[in-house]
Amino acid sequence: MKNAILRQYETYCYQICHYLLQREPHASRAAEAALLSIAVDAWFFTDSDEARREKILLTSIRTSLLRQGKSDTI
């Protein structure tokens, strides 16, 4: 059940990460981190679609910015 719900937002999450990072390997890792972060949020699975999309957006932006910060220091 949870996997099916997360899969519905997988592409959306990746698109946000890729738009922000512009590099496939970084975007994939950021999207994975974002989805793993969302997966432990029990409220996510009871939220409306609109609330889920908002959480995916914010979490994707946060993980992308963190990933960007790490790649800048390397």
Side-chain angles (χ1 to χ4, degrees), residues 9-23:
Y9 299 95
E10 188 175 16
T11 301
Y12 178 58
C13 180
Y14 176 79
Q15 289 171 335
I16 296 164
C17 295
H18 191 271
Y19 176 79
L20 293 169
L21 296 171
Q22 298 292 306
R23 294 174 63 192

Side-chain angles (χ1 to χ4, degrees), residues 1 7 11-14 16 18 21 28 33-34 36 38-39 41 44 49 52 62:
M1 172 81 172
R7 285 204 182 274
T11 301
Y12 178 58
C13 180
Y14 176 79
I16 296 164
H18 191 271
L21 296 171
S28 291
L36 287 172
I38 289 288
D41 177 3
F44 178 80
D49 180 61
R52 288 178 183 167
R62 183 174 8 93

Side-chain angles (χ1 to χ4, degrees), residues 2 5-7 9-18 20-21 25-42 44-45 52-67 70:
K2 288 183 178 183
I5 292 172
L6 287 171
R7 285 204 182 274
Y9 299 95
E10 188 175 16
T11 301
Y12 178 58
C13 180
Y14 176 79
Q15 289 171 335
I16 296 164
C17 295
H18 191 271
L20 293 169
L21 296 171
H26 295 297
S28 291
R29 284 188 225 113
E32 181 180 4
L35 290 169
L36 287 172
S37 176
I38 289 288
V40 298
D41 177 3
F44 178 80
F45 299 99
R52 288 178 183 167
R53 289 181 66 81
E54 181 72 18
K55 284 183 180 180
I56 291 287
L57 174 65
L58 296 174
T59 304
S60 299
I61 291 170
R62 183 174 8 93
T63 57
S64 293
L65 292 175
L66 288 171
R67 171 107 6 227
K70 288 179 183 178

